[in-house]
Amino acid sequence: MGVLAGCAVVLVLGGAGAGFGIYSLIQGVKNYSTTCLPSDFPRYPGSTVADEIFGVYDVYPGFTCHMVLESNDDTATVTTFYTSKLNTGSWQVTLTGDPAGTIVFQPARNASPFGTVQVASASTHTEITIDTYTSTCLLTGFPHYPGAKFAGQSFDVTGGDTGRSCHVAFLTTDSINAVMSFYKANLNAGDYRVWSIAGDQIEFRLLRGYKPIAGGTVTISPGDDRTKINVAST
């Protein structure tokens, strides 16, 4: 599975915790005087904002930001800019070019936000689509392989819990055997259970008592230089 583009979300404020700070952010985003991106996130010089959608404690966990910028420069120049700027200082690039024009990033020292930049040619300009997340869409308490790098995600809600689907990709320099051992142990603890194992894939369930309420698969496979961890849950 390649990098999975994030979905756009709508603004939904969560309860009493919204407060004046979030209200100020909303007003700034509406007026384009503030963006929902982190304050130190690189913005392509001369680009203009074409679209912006953000969510706070929505159906997607945490805080999400979806921004579309437009530039008159060619895609190669824009891609080079983000590949360089997101691989220095407080950011690190974890994967590029899968699919073409995609840059996956995460903080160099913090856990979040992480996300993707996608650069594509439109009819009269270059379109820059940026998605950031403060949390993955995985089930609560899902074990994260130590040191694994974010490599993309997608999320969809089509109708309640039964329509929920989440795909997240990670990369690690550890061996397939080490990753398999980790998930065999950690998906057989707490409310999680290993349901079956077939080759490089582990099927799991999240239980409520003895009843499965959610589940999915972890698929572990070799990459060009790292081990790929693809998690699909519903």
Side-chain angles (χ1 to χ4, degrees):
M1 180 179 69
V3 171
L4 297 163
C7 67
V9 295
V10 296
L11 170 63
V12 177
L13 296 182
F20 179 75
I22 292 178
Y23 173 81
S24 298
L25 173 62
I26 296 167
Q27 299 308 309
V29 170
K30 284 181 177 179
N31 299 322
Y32 292 129
S33 60
T34 302
T35 74
C36 57
L37 294 173
S39 59
D40 62 345
F41 194 88
R43 177 165 171 174
Y44 192 78
S47 62
T48 57
V49 176
D51 191 24
E52 185 167 19
I53 307 172
F54 70 109
V56 183
Y57 307 117
D58 196 2
V59 290
Y60 205 115
F63 183 97
T64 65
C65 174
H66 173 83
M67 173 165 280
V68 179
L69 305 176
E70 294 180 352
S71 171
N72 292 325
D73 292 345
D74 60 77
T75 57
T77 301
V78 175
T79 301
T80 298
F81 171 85
Y82 277 104
T83 302
S84 173
K85 294 294 184 181
L86 287 173
N87 213 20
T88 187
S90 58
W91 301 99
Q92 61 177 310
V93 171
T94 60
L95 189 66
T96 60
D98 187 12
T102 300
I103 303 158
V104 186
F105 62 88
Q106 69 179 57
R109 290 174 289 276
N110 299 318
S112 66
F114 41 81
T116 60
V117 174
Q118 294 177 310
V119 182
S121 179
S123 57
T124 59
H125 58 269
T126 293
E127 193 168 88
I128 308 162
T129 303
I130 305 168
D131 287 286
T132 66
Y133 316 93
T134 60
S135 174
T136 69
C137 53
L138 294 174
L139 300 167
T140 301
F142 189 87
H144 176 77
Y145 189 80
K149 305 296 185 182
F150 175 74
Q153 76 175 339
S154 67
F155 179 79
D156 182 48
V157 173
T158 57
D161 291 339
T162 58
R164 181 186 189 278
S165 67
C166 169
H167 294 78
V168 185
F170 300 98
L171 294 168
T172 178
T173 56
D174 290 352
S175 68
I176 290 178
N177 287 339
V179 178
M180 285 287 290
S181 295
F182 172 85
Y183 280 107
K184 284 179 182 178
N186 286 274
L187 288 175
N188 245 340
D191 294 328
Y192 282 95
R193 292 292 181 272
V194 171
W195 216 247
S196 66
I197 300 175
D200 61 359
Q201 188 173 90
I202 301 172
E203 185 179 3
F204 64 88
R205 294 288 186 273
L206 177 63
L207 306 180
R208 179 177 292 155
Y210 294 101
K211 180 183 178 182
I213 58 173
T217 59
V218 177
T219 304
I220 304 156
S221 57
D224 294 335
D225 58 348
R226 290 171 288 183
T227 298
K228 296 180 180 178
I229 306 169
N230 292 311
V231 184
S233 68
T234 56

